[in-house]
Amino acid sequence: MKKLVIAAAISTLLSMPAVQAADYVIDTQGAHAFIQFKVSHLGYSWLHGRFNTFSGNFSYDDKNLAASKISLEIDTKSVDSNHAERDKHLRSADFLNVDKQPKASFVSTKMVPKDGANFDVVGNFTLNGVTKEITIAAAKTGEGKDPWGGYRAGFEGKTSINLSDYGIKNILGPASETVQLDLVVEGIRQ
Amino acid sequence: MQTEQQNNATKPKTLHYNNLSVSLHWLMALMVVALFALGFWMVDLTYYSSWYKTAPYWHKSIGILLFALLLLRLFWRFKTGKPEALASQNMKLQQVAAIVHMLLYLLLFSIVLTGYLISTADGRGIEVFSWFELPALGELFAEQADIAGALHKWFAYVLMALVAMHAAGAVKHHFVDKDATLKRMWWHKN
């Protein structure tokens, strides 16, 4: 019985794809990654902001997208819309509630190839303690050796979320219910 | 004996606050109560309230003027001194009153300072009645707007408790003890 289990384990291992996805750490150290948001102001214009502190890593394999994955953790306190009073309000219980919910996160569950460099990243996004599945429309922007002896790969992604889905009451007016998220992710291969 | 009399003659005993001190006292009392009420009310204004921008603008402008008056008042207080304590009041009561007065000054100073630190954390100055702009010192410590904001609120609550105590004391002296405590903080002819 024991031998059978071991044999089964070995055969499983052998049947796994020969090419392993490479692991990357997102280059937050060098600030070559950005988590930005934009939300309508009164329906007339846009407000842009970003999260300054986050970390994450991903695995990526050009030949086997299905084996790729990404996870991100965002420090909600680091919200920055270039206005101290507004950022204070954004951190309060009216919006991000950072005292109780200091972290937001995204963990991918599957990758869906599309045409060319485009693909969808499906995963669980947690904000204000609420986890929902979202789809990020992503594309690879490039990869290759960097001038300092390393290897880098870069991606862009776009998605949008509704505030009310995450238990955040929209007090900014109907046009501001949807927040667009723009991600720029550059990873250094480990 | 002779010299003591001369000393008393050069520094005449007074039981009254001088008219400028009285004016400053009542003007600032009015401003402090108005600022508290305005501040308490404005933090819950909705984004679409027509007061959403004007209420904080007034609050900040009046607050900065209050600070200027506070400086003038302290200067005047040290220049002209303080009237003698009423003979009817015992030492212990005088000490309690002195501590409350000191705390009132200290809190007023701290509340204006923390208010300044909230609004100027991003390097933006404070506009005072479209009259002049008080320059910012920028972010002096991490999480400045949030920390200063919490202190601003709690200092204001403590100040209001002390103001209530201060006013209750004055009313009690006037109506129950029927002494001159309140009268000497009123305008008078020399």
Side-chain angles (χ1 to χ4, degrees), chain A residues 12 18-19 26 50-51 62 76 86 99 117 132 138-139 176 179 188:
Chain A
T12 312
V19 188
I26 296 171
R50 65 184 190 194
F51 290 94
D62 225 0
T76 53
R86 179 169 54 219
D99 283 341
K132 295 253 176 207
S176 309
V179 177
I188 306 170

Side-chain angles (χ1 to χ4, degrees), chain A residues 19-24 58-65 68 117 119 139-147 150-156 185-190:
Chain A
V19 188
Q20 279 286 324
D23 291 326
Y24 292 79
F58 61 87
S59 305
Y60 178 71
D61 179 3
D62 225 0
K63 313 234 161 24
N64 185 12
L65 188 66
S68 303
F119 58 96
K140 189 172 86 173
T141 41
E143 72 176 302
K145 284 180 189 158
D146 67 28
Y151 189 93
R152 291 170 186 253
F155 301 87
E156 276 183 288
V185 170
E186 179 180 305
I188 306 170
R189 196 160 75 186
Q190 297 303 291

Side-chain angles (χ1 to χ4, degrees), chain A residues 41-43 77 82-85 87-89 91 98 171-174 176, chain B residues 43 46-48 52 60 118-122 124 143 145-146 148-150:
Chain A
H41 185 226
L42 305 170
K77 218 196 271 179
N82 191 28
H83 195 286
E85 289 170 357
D87 293 343
K88 176 176 178 287
H89 193 197
R91 283 188 291 265
V98 303
I171 55 176
L172 302 173
S176 309
Chain B
V43 292
T46 63
Y47 197 59
Y48 284 77
Y52 190 84
K60 288 185 241 182
I118 302 169
S119 297
T120 57
D122 53 15
R124 284 180 176 79
E143 296 174 41
D146 300 63

Side-chain angles (χ1 to χ4, degrees), chain B residues 76-128:
Chain B
W76 191 244
R77 161 81 155 72
F78 285 113
K79 193 168 182 290
T80 62
K82 198 184 163 183
E84 302 255 329
L86 294 178
S88 61
Q89 293 174 2
N90 66 44
M91 209 55 185
K92 189 137 195 173
L93 190 69
Q94 288 175 32
Q95 281 168 353
V96 172
I99 290 168
V100 172
H101 293 159
M102 175 106 89
L103 282 173
L104 287 170
Y105 282 129
L106 204 64
L107 280 165
L108 282 175
F109 185 80
S110 308
I111 292 167
V112 178
L113 181 72
T114 48
Y116 172 84
L117 291 175
I118 302 169
S119 297
T120 57
D122 53 15
R124 284 180 176 79
I126 295 174
E127 212 189 320
V128 182

Side-chain angles (χ1 to χ4, degrees), chain A residues 57-60 65 68-72 106-114 117-125 132-140 155-159 183 185:
Chain A
N57 44 57
F58 61 87
S59 305
Y60 178 71
L65 188 66
S68 303
K69 54 181 192 279
I70 180 166
S71 69
L72 276 170
F106 177 75
V107 180
S108 70
T109 50
K110 68 176 178 192
M111 302 283 174
V112 183
K114 292 199 295 196
N118 299 313
F119 58 96
D120 278 344
V121 183
V122 181
N124 294 316
F125 181 56
K132 295 253 176 207
E133 190 179 79
I134 60 167
T135 300
I136 301 171
K140 189 172 86 173
F155 301 87
E156 276 183 288
K158 271 185 198 303
T159 190
L183 307 152
V185 170

